[in-house]
Amino acid sequence: MADKTSENNGATTQSHLPTPKKPKLNKYALACSFLASMASILLGYDIGVMSGAIIYIRKEIHMTDIQKEVIMGILNIYSLLGSAAAGLTSDWLGRRYTVVIAGAIFFAGALLMGFATNYAFLMVGRFVAGIGVGYALMIAPVYTAEVAPASARGFLASFPEVFINFGILLGYISNYGFSKLPEHLGWRFMLGIGAFPSIFIAMSVLAMPESPRWLVMQGRLGDAKRVLDKTSDSIEDAKHRLADIKEAAGIPDHCNEDVVSVPKKHHAVWRELLLRPTPAVRHILICAAGIHFFQQASGIDSVVLYSPDIFEKAGLKTDTDRLLATMAVGFTKTVFILVATFQLDKIGRRPLLLSSVAGMIVSAAGLGVGLTVIENSDRKLVWALALSVSTVLSYVAFFSIGLGPITGVYTSEIFPLRLRAQGFSIGVAVNRVTSGVISMTFLSLYNAIGIGGAFFLYGGIAAVAWVVFYALYPETQGKTLEEIEGLFGTFFKWRSKHKGLTLPNRNQC
């Protein structure tokens, strides 16, 4: 009886404990993440602007459907080279100077595309721009995750996806605005104007500090401590973050000089990632590659790149109507990505991810129904047109509240420090290859199985993705980057491991 009373008193005491107050958002970390993430505008602008520019490019530079598919999607394949190089550059020169390289390369690519006179010239411009996009895709999420404190990492690490969407919207607006110019000039301005944001992005790096994790890997503990003091929730939090990073880098806890020697690791990072991974690293690698694959295989680039074609099939015949509807796609994506940004650290990764993919499945099915009915009807069906347009918008909305931003956030969180740059570059490589395949086969796919059938296929892939995410992906909300590795390695049994995870006692030696 006494024991029971004691338990009840304990429960009462526990229930009256004050709820820990969530730290205020660190404004310096916010500014750093904002500046670094602007590099992602480059990819978004290119995706958005090509969807409309291709209408006018085809009138001047004649090309087949196959050539159109290639010119639309080849940038994703070219970006592989950029993301692979960025992994090496970011470890060698640092995270922030890699942002400068991204901006400089894309600047050259945008100018080349704007001055293109034939298909081959345009392809060269796409190649150069693709290298710049690959750099930006890889470095922005890595830098942001390494600067952000755990309390706001989901919010700040979603910034790259926010800027991708903002870039897409800018591309759509550029299409509509420059479509009023003579046809031979309009598309050149659409493509060439993309050079100007890259100048600002490259210059913004001067206001950014270097990543504290990169500084620790160079043995520059004094510099890392100064950055952490500015980007952490408190001085105590900064000390904890520095201790975690030192442990991950193999630096003894008692080494506190401003500059220390970092233990040389004789094992190759790529061997540890691909040839002899531990169970935890293998699980992490599968999750990273899987979420990047499903993000693109579920068809988002087909919707974004080929929106004018989809709306034409749905019944919108004039260029102006198609471009206006496409602008609505960009506006919807941008609004809903902002909603997701403010919810990632409140709701968590898994609930948003699973809800997002479920909505995409329903939307893809509805779009498939609408387009199939229109394709097989001889008369204009207003309800089918309305269904098609509304489900395109709902598809991009559901994508933007979960699968869009969480892919970059999740991948930047789960890799341990020693493998983070190369591991993230593998995720980007999977993402870009899948995106390239999807975007370069869409026209051929819908010619083979119907445009409605293409979206039924994408919906089926999204259904598989939902099952995989539910089964294999642990929640990472609120964990430090060093704690997250402990969640992986048991695949289907990760839930019990998650429940048993305890935070380290900072007072112990």
Side-chain angles (χ1 to χ4, degrees), residues 18 97 155 262 330 333 388 480:
Y97 287 117
F155 173 65
V262 180
K333 276 181 64 64
S388 298
T480 69

Side-chain angles (χ1 to χ4, degrees), residues 24 62-63 95 133 139 150 200 255 296 313 317 323 359 381 432 453 459 474 481:
K24 290 183 178 179
H62 300 289
M63 59 182 77
R95 308 320 195 206
V133 163
I139 196 57
F200 179 77
C255 294
Q296 297 300 329
K313 292 288 184 182
K317 298 302 182 184
L323 292 177
L381 300 173
R432 293 300 88 198
L481 295 177

Side-chain angles (χ1 to χ4, degrees), residues 356-401:
S356 164
V357 177
M360 290 170 63
I361 295 167
V362 174
S363 298
L367 182 55
V369 169
L371 291 174
T372 300
V373 169
I374 291 170
E375 199 171 25
N376 292 283
S377 176
D378 295 329
R379 55 197 179 88
K380 186 173 182 178
L381 300 173
V382 176
W383 71 267
L385 169 61
L387 177 63
S388 298
V389 173
S390 62
T391 49
V392 167
L393 298 179
S394 66
Y395 179 90
V396 298
F398 278 113
F399 176 86
S400 294
I401 65 167

Side-chain angles (χ1 to χ4, degrees), residues 24-34 156 230-233:
K24 290 183 178 179
L25 180 62
N26 185 295
K27 293 180 181 178
Y28 188 76
L30 172 67
C32 293
S33 302
F34 186 91
L156 299 180
K230 291 182 178 180
T231 59
S232 299
D233 295 325

